Amino acid sequence: MKIVVGIESAERAKSVGSLVKSLGIENASIELLHVLERIAEDKMPPPPEASPDLITRFLKMQEEEAQGVLASGHAALTQLGLASTTKLMTGFAGNRILARSEEGGADLLALGSSGRGLLNGAKLGSVGRKALTSAKCSVLIAKNAPSQGRPLTAVIATDHSQYANRCLEKLMSWNPKGIGRAVVTTVYPEQLLKSMTSLMNHFKADVSSWVKGELERNNAEFIRKFANVVPNCTGRVESGDVGDTLERVMKEEGADLLILGSQGHGFLERMFVGSISLDQAMSRSYSTLVVRA
């Protein structure tokens, strides 16, 4: 499995590396990537009173600092027991990271984030948002380094669409041995239930029980398959706002990682189309793995 880890600092490398290690993906090939967004010499002449080679010296200093970031990041991953290679690129970070992950045939692009908040949203925006919306591979946004030495608890959100099922197969193919407990969660919007209740009211049917029962059966089938990877696997069916409900489930389960697909076109009417995965990865405080199949 090929993993590209995009970093802006050694601290980010450590947090992302900790989560990658905790996933327990065997035989992973990791490339540590740092993109230097540098000024162009011909676009920024030195002030008249400055030394003619000021810009050249500044660019050299920039590159040395960038190499230092990579060296420190590599050391951090080595300390975690992860082997990696390093790559320095120049240009706009979002474009270069995506191009590198695509040309290298990456299975996973991993990026770091400091957590929740407006400032962080702006920081992650240009790179993380581009990765989440445009990357062809799966994307991991690491916000909190999990405790080393204990298995991960993951919430796996699914709408049971064909695409979501393919995402499950993709996740299973990675054989993430570091997940010790998984909670398969399906959230159906309350508005959907109200609409169905109104539609079926003349049948005198208990729509809520029917919907929950169907989703519980789907979850059970999902769990049966995923138990080959994570034996300790349970299910939850919830109703409410999808984003807020997933956040509540993450908190109640004490989960380290949310895993979900990037889109869905199933029973719950496009439940996970972009906006949900983007909201969870960009705006919530926990780490998120968006799987693309």
Side-chain angles (χ1 to χ4, degrees):
M1 179 175 177
K2 296 181 179 180
I3 303 175
V4 170
V5 177
I7 62 166
E8 62 182 37
S9 67
E11 290 73 21
R12 290 287 187 275
K14 187 173 183 180
S15 64
V16 179
S18 294
L19 187 51
V20 170
K21 180 177 175 63
S22 293
L23 279 169
I25 298 172
E26 297 180 337
N27 301 318
S29 173
I30 300 174
E31 180 178 81
L32 200 59
L33 175 63
H34 179 68
V35 179
L36 176 57
E37 294 182 324
R38 65 193 310 170
I39 61 171
E41 287 185 80
D42 59 340
K43 302 292 185 183
M44 185 67 68
E49 68 277 5
S51 170
D53 67 343
L54 176 64
I55 300 300
T56 301
R57 287 191 287 116
F58 174 73
L59 293 175
K60 183 179 180 181
M61 181 182 71
Q62 263 195 317
E63 185 165 344
E64 289 173 350
E65 289 178 351
Q67 293 288 4
V69 168
L70 278 175
S72 298
H74 178 71
L77 263 60
T78 300
Q79 192 173 16
L80 290 166
L82 296 173
S84 64
T85 59
T86 61
K87 179 74 173 179
L88 176 63
M89 303 183 77
T90 59
F92 175 64
N95 291 342
R96 298 301 280 161
I97 288 174
L98 259 63
R100 183 63 182 174
S101 62
E102 187 173 342
E103 71 187 25
D107 301 288
L108 178 65
L109 172 58
L111 302 169
S113 166
S114 59
R116 187 174 185 169
L118 181 61
L119 179 60
N120 175 68
K123 278 185 178 179
L124 187 61
S126 62
V127 179
R129 182 179 292 274
K130 192 171 185 66
L132 290 163
T133 57
S134 303
K136 294 183 179 179
C137 62
S138 300
V139 178
L140 173 67
I141 303 295
K143 297 185 179 179
N144 304 298
S147 300
Q148 294 297 310
R150 70 169 178 82
L152 291 175
T153 294
V155 169
I156 304 176
T158 178
D159 66 348
H160 298 295
S161 64
Q162 290 184 356
Y163 185 83
N165 292 334
R166 293 203 303 273
C167 289
L168 169 65
E169 293 171 2
K170 170 73 76 172
L171 180 64
M172 289 175 62
S173 73
W174 297 347
N175 195 21
K177 294 183 178 297
I179 299 177
R181 185 168 72 94
V183 183
V184 178
T185 303
T186 301
V187 184
Y188 58 94
E190 289 179 342
Q191 186 56 47
L192 173 66
L193 188 61
K194 289 178 182 178
S195 299
M196 292 181 68
T197 300
S198 176
L199 180 67
M200 299 178 66
N201 188 48
H202 60 288
F203 290 113
K204 306 299 182 183
D206 184 353
V207 178
S208 178
S209 296
W210 175 73
V211 169
K212 188 172 183 180
E214 287 298 308
L215 294 179
E216 285 175 344
R217 279 189 283 275
N218 286 335
N219 276 358
E221 178 63 17
F222 191 117
I223 290 168
R224 184 186 67 78
K225 294 177 181 178
F226 199 64
N228 293 324
V229 179
V230 181
N232 185 2
C233 198
T234 57
R236 292 181 63 156
V237 174
E238 304 284 342
S239 66
D241 176 81
V242 177
D244 292 342
T245 302
L246 288 176
E247 183 170 31
R248 174 173 59 80
V249 171
M250 288 289 293
K251 189 175 298 183
E252 290 174 356
E253 297 291 345
D256 306 288
L257 179 66
L258 173 68
I259 303 173
L260 71 170
S262 61
Q263 60 179 336
H265 303 277
F267 176 68
L268 295 188
E269 192 70 23
R270 294 169 61 87
M271 174 178 156
F272 287 116
V273 179
S275 60
I276 298 298
S277 55
L278 192 63
D279 166 68
Q280 293 297 303
M282 297 287 293
S283 304
R284 313 290 170 158
S285 61
Y286 36 81
S287 298
T288 305
L289 171 59
V290 178
V291 180
R292 287 194 168 92

